[in-house]
Amino acid sequence: MNKKKLFNIVATIIFGLFLIIFNILYCTLVFVPFGYSSLLVSTFVICDSILLVFFVLEGVILFRTIIEEKEYIKTNEFIFGDKIEFDNLEMFVKKVSKIINTKKEEYIVSFSPIKTSVNYEIFQSKELKILNKELALYFTKLFSLAKYKTFKARVSYDNYCFIIFIRCTSDELLQLIKDVEYKSYSISKEKDIRIFIQNYFGICKIEPNVELLETINRSNIARKIGEYNFEKAIFFEKSMIEGKSDENMANAIVNALRNKEFIVYYMPKFHLQTKRFIGSEALVRWNSKDKGLISPIRFINFAENRGLIHEIDLYVLEQVCKDLEDQKKRGKRLLPVSINFSIYEFYTPTFLDDIKQVIEKYDVNPLLIEIEITEETTHANSFLVISILKKLKDMGLKILLDDFGLGFSNIKSMKILPIDIIKIDKSFIDEIVYDYKSREIVRAIISFGKALNLQVIAEGVVDAKQVEILKKMKCDQIQGFFYSKPIPKKEYESFLMNNQFEKKEDASL
Ligand code: C2E
Ligand code: MG
Ligand code: MG
């Protein structure tokens, strides 16, 4: 707690007690001996009682604040060691509001050292100490660079994210971010501890007409967009909240298709029994000329609603077929690739012909292509869906049901759809270590899959404990950041040639 506040409360209590004692003495020594009316004396006593209640309350508040403060410091110590102290957001806003000087370059930086999805594991582990030591160093360096007072706040205890006020030029800030990024990575490697450190910074310049809380919010928006796009540090731009007008966005997508701005990343899938990578998922990214790399989350839904998705997915299929053809020519390792298709495309009359045409154009073995559909597909006209899926299978392609477990009709889907593979949704895998319900649901899905002769993939695996559990449950394949993030073609090829997982005796650990 702030020293000034503590001093005020203590001073008020002492003053109040002094007033009460003075009143009692006055009553006893002055009024009573001289026979003043009992009404006057009672009035004084009532007033004193009210004062007393007031000061007792003040005392209770003080006591509770001290306890809460102690708790706060204790938790901070547990999480950060004693080198760093953090304000909470409220205190941060109060302090920073007082010193903002919009004539200078000042920034609010939202900073998160690890992806939220791996936080839970990190919070439980001793590796946290190393991460925190690294953070302490980072903050010390950051604050020594700032030419003026700098403040830091922790957003909340369950969110490993910090808000920093800093006064320096944007170049200095970017340089510092680069240094920190490099150092934290090398330290985690040196100690041979697998902490998946991924620093993400969202930066927002303080502007005269924007409230501080809004600036904080904007820096957070920038950081989250950075996380989605795997961008380390990104500056807030107004378009992040305004969004493009629908027409502009649709035009931008059409232009992007024409200018070949979409690129395909590959995310490897690991087969637990053979301890080999046996395929990958193609995930599209928009490499925009003005905006940089954009995550599919930001445009796939829009493209679906505007009837542009079929063109994007065909584009992805074509890119994948080209890559496979090229890998074949160069004698590279050829593994099946699954491609996401959206339900809306099934209504395109030329859907099947388009797919067939692309595959034939590049003379790709259909066994190398898998089609990923999501469960919502099953809510559509099931006659149409089933007949299209059957035709795709007749062409030799495999069908994969993605995000399995999210919808309500999974079991029915297993019965009516001609699928070969199911992919368990990441949300179940996220909690598989700590939540027995998720664990048992995953176990049940795997045994259902086995009983129906389907391959089962677990998606979103980030640590060894999850791998261990899935292995015991006899899950077939695993996809997740534990093995690799989605990566561009070149990196994917090198990864297949040389990776730590296939080399090891026990490749899953
Ligand atoms: P999805 O098909 O379920 O793809 C898996 C998403 O989960 C990918 O995100 C992948 O990067 C992410 N993911 C997988 N493992 C992990 C993990 O261990 N940790 C974390 N944090 N994330 C993991 P991405 O690439 O952003 O794609 C998001 C969604 O966008 C996809 O979900 C899919 O529905 C859609 N999408 C992506 N590419 C295409 C495409 O070419 N066509 C269509 N129609 N949709 C696509
Ligand atoms: Mg998918
Ligand atoms: Mg999925």
Side-chain angles (χ1 to χ4, degrees):
M1 182 173 36
N2 175 321
K3 276 186 192 147
K4 209 168 141 195
K5 193 173 164 193
L6 184 69
F7 176 79
N8 281 348
I9 295 177
V10 173
T12 319
I13 290 179
I14 293 174
F15 179 67
L17 288 177
F18 173 75
L19 213 67
I20 290 167
I21 294 166
F22 177 76
N23 267 353
I24 292 169
L25 283 177
Y26 198 71
C27 282
T28 346
L29 297 175
V30 181
F31 292 162
V32 180
F34 290 96
Y36 277 81
S37 83
S38 58
L39 184 66
L40 196 61
V41 175
S42 329
T43 315
F44 266 95
V45 171
I46 289 170
C47 287
D48 278 351
S49 313
I50 295 172
L51 267 177
L52 192 65
V53 170
F54 173 73
F55 289 118
V56 167
L57 275 178
E58 183 94 1
V60 171
I61 293 171
L62 173 68
F63 182 71
R64 281 190 55 183
T65 322
I66 290 173
I67 298 278
E68 273 170 20
E69 194 74 14
K70 274 199 160 172
E71 198 62 29
Y72 184 74
I73 290 169
K74 220 167 106 186
T75 323
N76 250 359
E77 266 177 15
F78 167 69
I79 299 177
F80 298 105
D82 50 13
K83 274 196 180 164
I84 321 167
E85 278 176 24
F86 282 90
D87 287 320
N88 57 27
L89 210 52
E90 196 188 348
M91 189 59 73
F92 175 84
V93 170
K94 262 192 201 163
K95 284 182 184 172
V96 174
S97 304
K98 281 187 199 152
I99 57 152
I100 283 179
N101 179 352
T102 44
K103 285 189 187 129
K104 308 208 165 151
E105 258 193 88
E106 291 174 334
Y107 294 92
I108 292 292
V109 181
S110 162
F111 160 61
S112 165
I114 38 179
K115 270 222 159 192
T116 341
S117 53
V118 286
N119 278 359
Y120 201 84
E121 168 74 0
I122 290 280
F123 276 123
Q124 307 292 312
S125 66
K126 64 179 188 309
E127 284 89 346
L128 183 66
K129 280 200 180 135
I130 294 183
L131 178 67
N132 288 334
K133 220 174 115 196
E134 189 58 22
L135 274 179
L137 280 173
Y138 162 68
F139 285 119
T140 315
K141 193 167 175 193
L142 185 69
F143 299 136
S144 66
L145 177 106
K147 295 186 183 112
Y148 197 73
K149 226 172 178 179
T150 305
F151 295 106
K152 50 206 181 295
R154 175 109 192 266
V155 174
S156 69
Y157 283 119
D158 56 356
N159 190 346
Y160 214 68
C161 158
F162 313 90
I163 301 292
I164 300 148
F165 164 83
I166 190 160
R167 182 174 291 164
C168 61
T169 67
S170 57
D171 286 347
E172 283 172 318
L173 191 57
L174 285 176
Q175 185 53 46
L176 184 82
I177 285 169
K178 258 191 193 163
D179 289 356
V180 174
E181 166 64 23
Y182 169 73
K183 261 190 86 196
S184 37
Y185 176 68
S186 57
I187 282 212
S188 66
K189 239 179 136 184
E190 260 170 40
K191 308 250 166 174
D192 201 25
I193 285 179
R194 282 184 58 92
I195 308 178
F196 196 63
I197 296 180
Q198 270 188 303
N199 291 312
Y200 287 103
F201 301 84
I203 307 163
C204 187
K205 193 163 182 226
I206 298 182
E207 306 280 357
N209 304 325
V210 184
E211 299 245 322
L212 182 57
L213 266 176
E214 177 54 21
T215 312
I216 292 173
N217 184 31
R218 290 177 175 193
S219 68
N220 258 323
I221 291 174
R223 178 181 54 80
K224 281 182 193 153
I225 290 177
E227 269 196 35
Y228 281 135
N229 294 317
F230 306 109
E231 276 186 58
K232 294 287 157 213
I234 74 173
F235 282 85
F236 172 81
E237 287 165 24
K238 281 225 169 91
S239 63
M240 288 174 179
I241 42 176
E242 283 164 358
K244 287 187 170 186
S245 79
D246 278 9
E247 226 25 70
N248 281 349
M249 179 80 163
N251 285 338
I253 291 180
V254 172
N255 283 335
L257 279 163
R258 198 178 301 133
N259 300 334
K260 303 197 185 314
E261 284 180 16
F262 290 105
I263 46 174
V264 176
Y265 274 40
Y266 293 91
M267 188 170 198
K269 295 174 191 166
F270 190 75
H271 192 256
L272 281 174
Q273 219 181 0
T274 55
K275 295 170 185 171
R276 300 277 295 162
F277 287 97
I278 57 158
S280 68
E281 175 176 8
L283 292 157
V284 72
R285 270 91 183 98
W286 179 357
N287 192 9
S288 155
K289 275 192 188 118
D290 16 290
K291 299 264 174 292
L293 211 58
I294 303 176
S295 148
I297 300 167
R298 291 180 70 194
F299 60 87
I300 289 289
N301 274 349
F302 178 88
E304 283 177 349
N305 295 335
R306 292 298 293 254
L308 291 164
I309 191 68
H310 184 52
E311 284 175 68
I312 296 181
D313 287 345
L314 262 192
Y315 180 99
V316 172
L317 175 69
E318 176 141 16
Q319 194 54 54
V320 168
C321 288
K322 253 189 215 167
D323 289 349
L324 286 169
E325 187 200 35
D326 176 53
Q327 284 158 354
K328 190 176 158 191
K329 270 191 197 149
R330 290 185 294 126
K332 295 278 174 195
R333 196 168 154 193
L334 270 189
L335 296 178
V337 182
S338 60
I339 298 156
N340 293 281
F341 279 91
S342 154
I343 172 184
Y344 302 93
E345 293 165 69
F346 284 31
Y347 295 96
T348 312
T350 54
F351 179 71
L352 285 166
D353 290 339
D354 291 342
I355 291 185
K356 203 168 169 204
Q357 216 179 349
V358 175
I359 294 176
E360 282 174 1
K361 180 173 165 193
Y362 293 93
D363 192 23
V364 170
N365 181 347
L367 286 175
L368 289 174
I369 303 289
E370 291 164 2
I371 305 287
E372 289 205 13
I373 52 166
T374 53
E375 251 200 279
E376 51 182 350
T377 312
T378 59
H379 298 308
N381 178 340
S382 53
F383 287 114
L384 176 82
V385 171
I386 294 170
S387 92
I388 289 186
L389 292 181
K390 277 190 174 153
K391 285 186 181 130
L392 287 170
K393 278 189 73 136
D394 289 345
M395 282 160 57
L397 312 183
K398 282 209 174 105
I399 311 295
L400 184 155
L401 192 55
D402 200 0
D403 303 343
F404 192 85
L406 278 190
F408 295 106
S409 58
N410 308 126
I411 311 291
K412 191 177 160 212
S413 316
M414 278 167 133
K415 185 180 153 204
I416 62 167
L417 296 180
I419 45 179
D420 306 283
I421 307 162
I422 49 175
K423 197 189 274 185
I424 307 172
D425 190 68
K426 179 175 176 305
S427 56
F428 295 100
I429 309 299
D430 282 345
E431 295 176 354
I432 197 175
V433 178
Y434 306 101
D435 176 44
Y436 94 95
K437 275 192 187 169
S438 298
R439 196 161 49 240
E440 291 314 313
I441 290 172
V442 171
R443 197 193 306 278
I445 297 177
I446 294 174
S447 54
F448 261 137
K450 297 261 160 219
L452 298 178
N453 219 6
L454 304 173
Q455 280 276 307
V456 182
I457 305 182
E459 178 171 52
V461 173
V462 290
D463 66 47
K465 275 189 203 152
Q466 292 170 319
V467 175
E468 228 172 89
I469 292 173
L470 289 162
K471 206 170 162 189
K472 279 192 191 133
M473 290 179 180
K474 303 236 173 329
C475 182
D476 301 298
Q477 299 176 37
I478 292 192
Q479 187 184 338
F481 286 9
F482 178 72
Y483 292 107
S484 169
K485 290 191 285 183
I487 38 180
K489 179 193 169 203
K490 263 196 174 165
E491 262 180 65
Y492 173 61
E493 283 178 7
S494 329
F495 179 87
L496 287 185
M497 274 173 48
N498 183 21
N499 63 75
Q500 64 184 112
F501 304 101
E502 286 179 314
K503 271 188 208 156
K504 279 193 185 176
E505 188 56 33
D506 182 359
S508 69
L509 294 172

